[in-house]
Structures are given as C-alpha cells and as structure tokens.
Amino acid sequence: MKKQHQAILSLGSNLGNRHENIVRCINNLHNEIGTIIRVSKLYETPSLGFESEKFYNCAVIMNTHKSAHQILEECLLLEEALGRVREDVDGYQARIIDIDVITFDEEIIASEKLQVPHPEMQNRLFVLLPMQDLHLDWRHPILQKYLHELLVLSEDKSNCKIIQKLEIPIAKLKLDHFNYIAIEGNIGAGKTTLTNKLAEDFNAKSVLERFADNPFLPKFYEDQNRYAFPLEMSFLADRYQQISDDLAQFDLFKDFIVADYHIFKSLIFAKVTLAEDEFRLYKTMFDIIYKEMPKPDLYIYLYQTSERLLENIRVRGRSYEQEIPAEYLEKINNGYLDYIKSQTELNVLIIDVTNRDFQNNQVDYVFILNEIQNKISS
C-alpha cells in the first residue's frame, strides 16, 4: 500500500468572526477531505495587495491518499460551503475563508488550475511564518531552499502578530496512551490499510504481517489438505518472532506500536484449516508461545460481510486469493467472533466497516477515529 501524500494548506479569513471561520475550516478539512495532523499558530496579518480588514492566517499539514487536484477541487467546494462568494471583479477581495494548496509532497505541479509549490509563497510572510510552526523538513523543489532560508530571503516585512495556538483535530484521540494496538480482521478487511494510516497520522511504529514472504501460502490455496499444517506452523513462528522483536525494540522517535495482526489469529485460522489431530498438536505449540506474548492494550476488529470481503479480494488482485470461497471467509469470521466473546480481559473494539471505504473517504476514516475515541472515553 502506498504511503499517504502530505499537503500543506494555507488558510485565511478577514470577514465576520475570523477565528471561528478558521476553526470551522480546519475541522471541516479534517472531517471531509484529509487528516489534519499539524496546525500552526493563528496569526493576524495585514491585507496584501488591497485595502481591507486584517486577516487571520494559519497553515496545516494534511495526510491524504487523494491527488493534489482532488484536494483543490474539494477545498473550493468547502470554501463555498463555508460562505465564500467569488465576485467577478479584478484584483483581490475580502473573503470569509480562503484555502490555498501551498505544497504537495515535494512535487512540482504546473497546470491550468493548480501550481505547486504556490508561486507566491516565498513572497508572503503570512504563509512562511505559519509554515515554520509546522516544523517541516521541506525544501522548495524549484528554488532549492529550505523554509528558514526562504524566510531570510523574503522581502515581505509585514507585521504578522501571533494571536493564539490552535487545536489539532486528532489531538483529542490519545492513542499514545497505549503501547501496543492490534488491528485485526478477516482476509481483505482493510487491517493493513488502517494500520498504515494510524501509524502515519499518529507517529506510531507499524508492524505489518510478512505474509508475502511465506512460500507455503500460494501452495495452500492450491492444495489446502497438504499444505495447511506447514503454512500455519510457519505463520506462527514468523508472527512470534516479529512481534517479539518489534515490541522489544523501543523506538525513541515513535509514540506507540500498531500492528495489523495479533498472534491469536494463528489459532483462529488453524482451527479452520487443520484436521483435528493436527490442530491438537498445533494448539499445544501455540499455548506454549502464547503465554510469553504481550497482549495488546487495544484490540480493534474490523468486521465485514463475506460478500464485501470477496469484492475487496477481487479488487486487490492477488492471484492466489481469487478462488477463496465465501464459506471459508465465513468460518474465519465466526472464529474471530467466538474468540472475542471468550476474551473477558482483552480491551476489544469491534467496528463494522462493511459499507465504508476509509482509505478514499475521509468521512469513513473519521468514523473509525470517533469509534476509537468513544472506546477510550468509556
């Protein structure tokens, strides 16, 4: 799965309640377009290029899988929804809200509708100062200058005054209170997608299952009876080794660990795939290992119906998965749900994501974040 893009947006307002306009815009950006992970201080700045009331300005960092042009189109719609009216007149105008796409990764975009980096950013202190608050390791891909260099070279000497700090929308979700979060679900439920998004948005270390390296997996889908036992044993050994290593190695630069599996899935899948005598032997080995394994502080199970899982599997296109029957997925779902019911001491959150696309639809991703917040609060 590709990493998210990182866009920097500049927000401004000089009509009405400027503070409220900015705060509403930040929240709407986060809830509808992309995840706002950092927000600058709020500045009061003089209007540039025309006589008008002073502006309130800030900058935000957005994580998203959307393209730069998608972001632009959705920001224009948001401006309109927040009350901006674009009059057909020459020159600058006062505005209730203004959203500019300043950067998109370190890409250079020159189209009829969008130019990135913004061609005037280096000449505008009300853009550069808020960007400096975001603590970026970003270099202008055309000018080949870092942000502090652009500030030194800027000829804009406007009086930009700090008003106050602004709240980051994701700050209320205190995931760093946990040391270890496990994201679980059936085949194709989206656990790796969610793990990666949480890791990128909340400064976590991601631990991803190394299923692609397992030589028995394609063989298992061709001949389950023959390869079920070596497949499950190899998965068990690899999961044990990986989780043990990653949880033992504390990362000073990350706040917590989020994994796209919990080792108990080994027993769930083994119970479905193995013959009775093989399962008894397997469970003996599993029980020995499981006693030594750390348990997650939060266990999130992503539920999807078998029909939706089959569609997800078809779309992602792994050849060896295309013949998985719905009955097999149903057994796995039931195995997970039976396990969850039996775990009275495990902090479990079940989220039904059957009709949600949390990779491409920000509303669906925010729904998941809110479910996690409700679980933490309760």
Side-chain angles (χ1 to χ4, degrees), residues 69 110-115:
H69 284 87
S111 69
E112 184 179 345
K113 293 184 177 181
L114 179 64
Q115 293 186 63

Side-chain angles (χ1 to χ4, degrees), residues 273-365:
T273 60
L274 298 181
E276 187 175 344
D277 56 340
E278 291 178 329
F279 179 72
R280 283 198 300 270
L281 173 58
Y282 182 90
K283 190 173 186 306
T284 300
M285 295 294 298
F286 176 85
D287 288 342
I288 295 170
I289 289 175
Y290 189 63
K291 289 178 183 177
E292 300 181 9
M293 294 302 299
K295 308 304 183 287
D297 303 301
L298 179 64
Y299 179 101
I300 300 173
Y301 182 70
L302 302 178
Y303 173 80
Q304 292 201 28
T305 63
S306 298
E307 292 77 15
R308 176 62 188 273
L309 292 169
L310 286 172
E311 176 60 19
N312 295 343
I313 291 167
R314 184 192 65 79
V315 169
R316 75 182 182 185
R318 294 174 186 159
S319 58
Y320 55 82
E321 292 180 341
Q322 297 308 304
E323 301 302 320
I324 296 177
E327 295 78 13
Y328 177 74
L329 297 176
E330 195 65 33
K331 289 179 180 178
I332 297 298
N333 257 345
N334 292 334
Y336 270 113
L337 295 175
D338 288 343
Y339 162 69
I340 289 170
K341 291 176 186 176
S342 70
Q343 298 302 301
T344 56
E345 297 181 0
L346 195 62
N347 189 22
V348 177
L349 171 62
I350 301 175
I351 307 177
D352 189 340
V353 293
T354 298
N355 297 311
R356 297 189 180 275
D357 180 1
F358 50 84
Q359 175 171 327
N360 300 306
N361 189 334
Q362 181 67 9
V363 172
D364 290 338
Y365 179 54

Side-chain angles (χ1 to χ4, degrees), residues 47 71 74 86-87 98 107 175 229 269 291 299 346:
S47 57
I71 295 171
E74 294 186 25
R86 294 179 183 270
E87 298 178 3
D98 185 33
E107 290 189 19
L175 292 186
F229 190 76
F269 276 78
K291 289 178 183 177
Y299 179 101
L346 195 62

